Amino acid sequence: MNRAQIFDFFSRLAEANPAPQTELEYGNDFQLLVAVVLSAQATDVGVNKATRALFREVETPQQMVDLGEEGLKAHIRTIGLFNAKAKNVIALSQMLVRDYGGQVPQDRDTLTLLPGVGRKTANVVLNTAFGQEAFAVDTHIFRVGNRTGLAPGKTVLAVEQKLDKRVPAPFRRDAHHWLILHGRYVCKARRPECWRCIVADLCRYRPKTPAPAAKAPKTPPV
C-alpha cells in the first residue's frame, strides 16, 4: 500500500469503530499486565472467565504475592500453560513490589525485565494502559500486515517496525486495536471474509473470498 491507501485504510477502520478497546477485562494497569501475560496462547474470552473472580480479590501486586502461586493456580486452571503463567505472575508481582513501589513501569525496556513479559506484552500495556504509540504484533496483526500489504515482513519485529514507520499520526494510538479486531473478526486466518470487508479494495490479497452461497430453503413436508 502507498501512503494515500494506508491513510484511507485506517480512516475507514476509524469511522467504523471510533473508539476501539481491548477485549480483555481489567480494572487497573496491574490487572491489565496480568491479563496480557495470561492471554499468551489463550483467548481473551477464556482469560476473562478466569480473571473475573481473581480481579475481585486481587487489585495490586502485593495482593497477588499474598495470594501465592497455588492460590493463583486455583483461579486460572482453565487457561493453557497455567502452571508456568502462575509462576511468572507471582514473580513479576514480587519484582514490582520490591523494585518499583508496586507500580507498573511505563517503558518497554523495564517491562521486558519482568518475568513472563516479552516485547508484545510490553507493547500492549504501553499502548492500552498508558496511551503510548506502540504496536503489539500478535498472530492476527502479523497476518493482516502481510496479507493486506499494509506492513509486510517475515518476522513479528519486522512487521512492528514497518507499522511504526508507515502508520500516519492520526491513527497511531489506536492502530493496534483496529488491526487485531479486524484480524479476529473479518480477516480471519482460514477464510477471510472479504465480501464484508470495508478495506477489501485497498488490500492486495487475491483472490478475494466470495460470500458463502445462500442455503436453499427447506421444502416443507407434503
Side-chain angles (χ1 to χ4, degrees):
M1 293 187 194
N2 59 38
R3 289 185 179 181
Q5 289 172 325
I6 292 173
F7 194 94
D8 195 7
F9 180 95
F10 282 107
S11 294
R12 297 184 196 181
L13 295 181
E15 184 176 358
N17 186 4
Q21 303 290 328
T22 179
E23 293 185 321
L24 289 171
E25 297 173 2
Y26 66 99
N28 59 35
D29 302 343
F30 171 67
Q31 290 182 342
L32 174 65
L33 174 61
V34 171
V36 179
V37 170
L38 295 178
S39 71
Q41 300 181 51
T43 66
D44 288 359
V45 172
V47 172
N48 290 338
K49 287 181 179 179
T51 58
R52 283 178 189 134
L54 172 66
F55 288 165
R56 286 196 294 269
E57 181 178 350
V58 174
E59 296 181 356
T60 68
Q62 184 61 61
Q63 289 174 338
M64 187 68 77
V65 173
D66 294 341
L67 178 65
E69 191 171 328
E70 293 305 314
L72 177 56
K73 286 180 183 179
H75 283 282
I76 65 170
R77 289 187 185 279
T78 56
I79 300 176
L81 306 174
F82 73 91
N83 284 312
K85 290 176 180 179
K87 182 178 181 179
N88 283 332
V89 168
I90 296 300
L92 73 82
S93 299
Q94 291 170 333
M95 193 169 175
L96 290 175
V97 171
R98 184 185 69 239
D99 300 335
Y100 303 104
Q103 301 300 309
V104 177
Q106 298 189 32
D107 69 275
R108 184 186 295 112
D109 291 343
T110 306
L111 279 169
T112 53
L113 295 176
L114 299 173
V117 178
R119 186 179 181 91
K120 183 188 76 173
T121 296
N123 282 343
V124 172
V125 173
L126 292 175
N127 178 258
T128 304
F130 304 121
Q132 295 186 27
E133 295 177 353
F135 303 91
V137 180
D138 67 351
T139 55
H140 296 298
I141 295 178
F142 184 81
R143 178 176 66 255
V144 172
N146 278 284
R147 181 182 277 167
T148 63
L150 170 67
K154 293 183 178 180
T155 67
V156 167
L157 181 59
V159 171
E160 179 189 331
Q161 291 172 335
K162 192 70 68 69
L163 287 171
D164 193 25
K165 182 179 180 180
R166 305 189 79 186
V167 177
F171 310 112
R172 293 177 63 82
R173 178 175 175 178
D174 291 325
H176 159 77
H177 289 116
W178 282 318
L179 293 174
I180 194 171
L181 293 171
H182 189 66
R184 184 174 290 165
Y185 295 112
V186 180
C187 197
K188 301 176 181 179
R190 293 186 178 180
R191 192 169 190 267
E193 299 181 0
C194 303
W195 67 90
R196 67 180 191 89
C197 176
I198 60 175
V199 292
D201 59 308
L202 302 172
C203 169
R204 73 176 183 183
Y205 179 70
R206 299 290 184 276
K208 302 298 185 187
T209 310
K215 293 183 180 179
K218 294 182 179 180
T219 304
V222 177

